[in-house]
Amino acid sequence: MFLGRLKDLLVRKKRFEPAGHRVSGGMAEVRLGRLVRSVIGDARVWDGLRIPDPENGGRREIDMIIARGDEVLFIEQKHWSGSFTITSEGRFFQQRKNGGTLMHKNIVAWTARKGDILCDLHENRTDKPAPPSRTVLVFSNKNLEWS
């Protein structure tokens, strides 16, 4: 009886295709990963690493991490189109090509926070300090205007 209900549920389950901006953003992350790996030398690269968020619950994703012996880079990639400005609070106001607008949080601070969580996790598990780190924001769409 249970298997019959489960089968009915799976048959009726709707499949939703990802939105176009998610597909293009994912493809841009793949291209950035290939580019970085082609020039990075002996550094280590991780894509799409998901880490637990002890403060807010759930998991957070870091688009890319590049680690050398002396430094770690936390990369956040945006494949936006249209234009954007940065407010005095560090938030990103995006004007999309379709006329819509979005007010994003302070992406640099948010990415740095995720990097801090990962460094804390490293220190708790290894009893060794994490190397110095920097946050890098990559805008990969040539159709994005900075205003």
Side-chain angles (χ1 to χ4, degrees):
M1 180 144 167
F2 173 75
L3 291 177
R5 287 184 182 173
L6 180 61
K7 182 179 177 183
D8 287 344
L9 179 66
L10 292 174
V11 167
R12 288 183 288 159
K13 182 180 175 187
K14 291 186 179 180
R15 300 198 189 278
F16 295 95
E17 294 298 320
H21 68 281
R22 295 221 184 266
V23 172
S24 62
M27 289 174 21
E29 287 178 7
V30 168
R31 285 192 300 269
L32 178 64
R34 287 179 183 160
L35 175 65
V36 166
R37 283 179 176 80
S38 71
V39 298
I40 202 65
D42 63 351
R44 301 277 315 259
V45 179
W46 294 270
D47 296 307
L49 184 68
R50 295 180 56 81
I51 57 171
D53 185 343
E55 188 176 311
N56 296 322
R59 300 177 74 72
R60 303 290 167 248
E61 180 181 20
I62 301 174
D63 288 345
M64 183 178 291
I65 302 167
I66 302 171
R68 299 182 305 185
D70 59 343
E71 182 177 41
V72 177
L73 301 176
F74 297 109
I75 312 294
E76 177 68 25
Q77 181 178 11
K78 297 298 178 195
H79 195 68
W80 296 344
S81 61
S83 64
F84 78 95
T85 57
I86 302 174
T87 69
S88 59
E89 301 89 27
R91 297 183 70 183
F92 288 69
F93 180 72
Q94 180 187 5
Q95 179 86 35
R96 300 176 85 181
K97 286 237 181 223
N98 66 6
T101 60
L102 292 169
M103 179 62 78
H104 300 276
K105 62 186 116 200
N106 183 330
I107 298 166
V108 175
W110 180 247
T111 304
R113 179 182 171 278
K114 293 185 284 186
D116 291 343
I117 291 170
L118 185 61
C119 288
D120 290 344
L121 193 62
H122 167 79
E123 291 173 6
N124 290 336
R125 289 184 179 179
T126 66
D127 289 326
K128 296 179 183 176
S133 63
R134 289 190 291 156
T135 300
V136 178
L137 190 54
V138 174
F139 292 100
S140 56
N141 192 335
K142 65 181 180 176
N143 297 318
L144 179 66
E145 298 175 17
W146 297 46
S147 45

